[in-house]
Amino acid sequence: MGNHYLIDGYNVIYAWPEIPSGAWKLKRDFLLRFLKTQKPQGNNAVTVIFDSRAGTGNRSVEGSITVVFTA
């Protein structure tokens, strides 16, 4: 059994200088694309959580990556 990584998506976006400037969707997509293509997590499962006060909440699975938007 491998590890399961929980990633606070917005904290990574704020802290990582390589994240492009622009709309939040662009930044989130960049992070998710990086995790899918570069796989720094190896073959381990990843859950990326984008916490926000706005929105109704959403959860989706994209390959081995689960993406959660909090309500």
Side-chain angles (χ1 to χ4, degrees):
M1 176 185 279
N3 296 313
H4 188 137
Y5 293 98
L6 299 175
I7 298 173
D8 184 328
Y10 288 128
N11 276 346
V12 172
I13 287 172
Y14 279 118
W16 194 17
E18 286 81 10
I19 294 288
S21 60
W24 283 108
K25 181 171 178 8
L26 177 72
K27 295 175 184 193
R28 291 189 299 260
D29 289 347
F30 181 90
L31 174 59
L32 296 174
R33 188 172 44 256
F34 174 82
L35 292 171
K36 289 177 194 173
T37 60
Q38 301 300 311
K39 296 186 72 71
Q41 71 277 10
N43 291 324
N44 297 296
V46 174
T47 299
V48 181
I49 302 166
F50 295 104
D51 57 329
S52 173
R53 293 183 196 122
T56 58
N58 185 348
R59 180 185 182 112
S60 63
V61 177
E62 303 176 19
S64 64
I65 300 174
T66 301
V67 180
V68 176
F69 289 90
T70 64

